[in-house]
Amino acid sequence: MAGFADPPQHQLLGLFQAGQYREVLQRAQALNLRLEQDPIAAQIVAGALFQLGEFAKAARLLEPHQAALGADGSYLSLYGATCRRLGQLNSAKDLLSRALALDPQAPQIRNNYANLLIDLGELAEARRLLEGLLAEDPSYADARANLNRLQFREQQSAPALAPNASTTAAAPATALASAQSWMPQDPLMLAFAEDEVRQAGAVAFSKPAPNSAAALARQLPDPDKAAVAADQLKLAAQAIQENNPAFALQLVSQAGLALGAQAAVYVNAADAYIRLQRFHEAEICLLHALQLGGPALPHYINLITLASMRGDCALARHYIDAAAAIDPKHPQLAQVREQVQRQEAGQGSRYSFVAQWALPNLTPAPPVSAP
């Protein structure tokens, strides 16, 4: 993102480099930038959305600018990482491999690409990349963790794929460079309000509209499991927007069979469970999404709400601190903090663990148009 001549782009880049990601979004809006016509500004705003965990929004900004930025390694890397967070593994591979071809010595791209290859089961190439990184920088902790994960995968798959093959570790490769992986946070939506939980609703199976998720799902081609799974996750998000969370769970379940344990799978499941008022299941899925995808502000705000619903205000305060570490100016953060403080003031007793959680049966907030 270098060589900007336009002052608005300089403003956005300065805010981005200072870690003021929400201010990037606010400044872009205040400047009334036409991001569909400004690839560089769109990339900066998409980077801010990525850091805030708004991966679907980031992808929508990045996608139209492939012609203009298709030879820019930073664009390809950001777009590839975004696709990976959305469970679109084949698209992520295409974008990251192009980024790597442009800058084959970039440690971040190599480590991130190797991580993706492990997800895709392409272990030999992932090993080559990771061993090259560690040969140049043995202290690169993320590459070491990825190599450990790869070696465990190899041990599991070796007997089935090559019964006569040796199970000893491969000799260290002499390959590429040193390292650090670009893997920011992972959020998506807030609970119980339509402007934050964009994926909503009640079950409605009968007579799907021609462009509904249910109708489109019947038209999916069957070329490749990962590509189909990515489409299923997109349709699951659409199904929740169409007030059809039960169908969304079917789609998420099918996608999970192909993708395995991916944050995008559990995020969509959590959104569907929230709209079904299955809050216990939603909380579990959000925790899994955090473990798989890393810190995520919208997940934290959902968890604040879910913990406070159970009366566990101490846990809610922990998630408030975690959310503030990502985006202290998030518009919902002060609101949920005040709610937890009021709840603590009136609670009168500390939270206690009981044999079975009593989960409140709450009605989601009425729809509110997004700002």
Side-chain angles (χ1 to χ4, degrees):
M1 297 181 184
F4 303 135
D6 189 42
Q9 295 172 345
H10 276 300
Q11 295 178 41
L12 296 180
L13 185 61
L15 291 169
F16 183 89
Q17 291 174 334
Q20 299 177 21
Y21 305 121
R22 189 156 299 279
E23 285 81 354
V24 171
L25 308 184
Q26 293 170 347
R27 185 64 56 85
Q29 186 174 21
L31 293 170
N32 199 27
L33 297 180
R34 303 186 67 178
L35 297 177
E36 69 280 2
Q37 299 178 5
D38 189 338
I40 300 301
Q43 184 181 357
I44 300 170
V45 173
L49 289 167
F50 185 97
Q51 294 288 351
L52 293 171
E54 298 285 357
F55 303 118
K57 290 181 180 179
R60 286 195 293 271
L61 276 182
L62 292 167
E63 195 278 334
H65 298 299
Q66 291 195 63
L69 297 175
D72 182 328
S74 65
Y75 165 83
L76 293 169
S77 180
L78 172 60
Y79 195 9
T82 302
C83 287
R84 181 170 183 259
R85 294 309 182 89
L86 292 171
Q88 300 168 16
L89 301 187
N90 283 351
S91 295
K93 182 183 179 184
D94 174 64
L95 292 159
L96 289 171
S97 64
R98 288 160 59 191
L100 191 61
L102 289 170
D103 190 357
Q105 298 302 315
Q108 293 180 337
I109 298 175
R110 289 156 57 199
N111 187 61
N112 199 47
Y113 187 52
N115 204 17
L116 174 66
L117 291 176
I118 296 172
D119 291 340
L120 291 169
E122 300 182 25
L123 303 185
E125 177 64 9
R127 172 178 281 279
R128 184 183 73 82
L129 290 168
L130 292 170
E131 288 183 338
L133 289 169
L134 290 167
E136 296 179 359
D137 183 5
S139 66
Y140 187 15
D142 196 51
R144 174 64 62 190
N146 284 333
L147 184 58
N148 289 342
R149 183 164 73 98
L150 181 151
Q151 289 171 334
F152 183 73
R153 289 277 188 94
E154 287 178 331
Q155 291 167 3
Q156 288 184 307
S157 60
L161 298 179
N164 298 321
S166 169
T167 57
T168 58
T174 55
L176 303 156
S178 66
Q180 170 102 21
S181 154
W182 133 288
M183 281 190 58
Q185 301 85 359
D186 182 338
L188 249 132
M189 38 206 74
L190 301 176
F192 323 124
E194 189 64 31
D195 58 340
E196 296 293 339
V197 187
R198 304 254 194 279
Q199 309 178 357
V203 180
F205 284 100
S206 60
K207 295 183 180 178
N211 294 322
S212 71
L216 293 172
R218 300 191 184 101
Q219 303 172 23
L220 286 179
D222 189 23
D224 163 324
K225 288 183 178 180
V228 171
D231 286 336
Q232 287 169 331
L233 289 179
K234 291 179 183 177
L235 292 177
Q238 181 179 338
I240 300 172
Q241 291 171 345
E242 294 169 355
N243 298 335
N244 200 344
F247 181 55
L249 289 175
Q250 294 178 31
L251 290 166
V252 169
S253 299
Q254 294 167 16
L257 291 175
L259 296 176
Q262 293 285 330
V265 171
Y266 286 92
V267 166
N268 281 279
D271 296 333
Y273 281 129
I274 285 172
R275 282 308 179 174
L276 289 169
Q277 299 188 40
R278 302 287 301 185
F279 303 130
H280 183 66
E281 290 89 340
E283 189 169 6
I284 293 170
C285 286
L286 285 168
L287 291 170
H288 290 328
L290 282 174
Q291 176 62 28
L292 291 165
L297 186 137
H299 300 351
Y300 283 137
I301 294 185
N302 277 335
L303 289 167
I304 293 165
T305 303
L306 293 167
S308 63
M309 283 166 56
R310 295 187 286 101
D312 194 346
C313 293
L315 184 60
R317 287 199 312 273
H318 167 78
Y319 289 133
I320 289 170
D321 288 342
I326 298 172
D327 184 7
K329 295 184 180 180
H330 190 282
Q332 256 62 44
L333 193 55
Q335 179 183 344
V336 294
R337 181 181 59 193
E338 291 173 4
Q339 290 173 349
V340 171
Q341 289 173 340
R342 287 197 300 269
Q343 183 176 357
E344 276 190 304
Q347 195 165 285
S349 62
R350 295 183 180 276
Y351 177 76
S352 59
F353 292 95
V354 294
Q356 182 175 352
W357 287 0
L359 298 178
N361 185 18
L362 300 184
T363 301
V368 178
S369 57

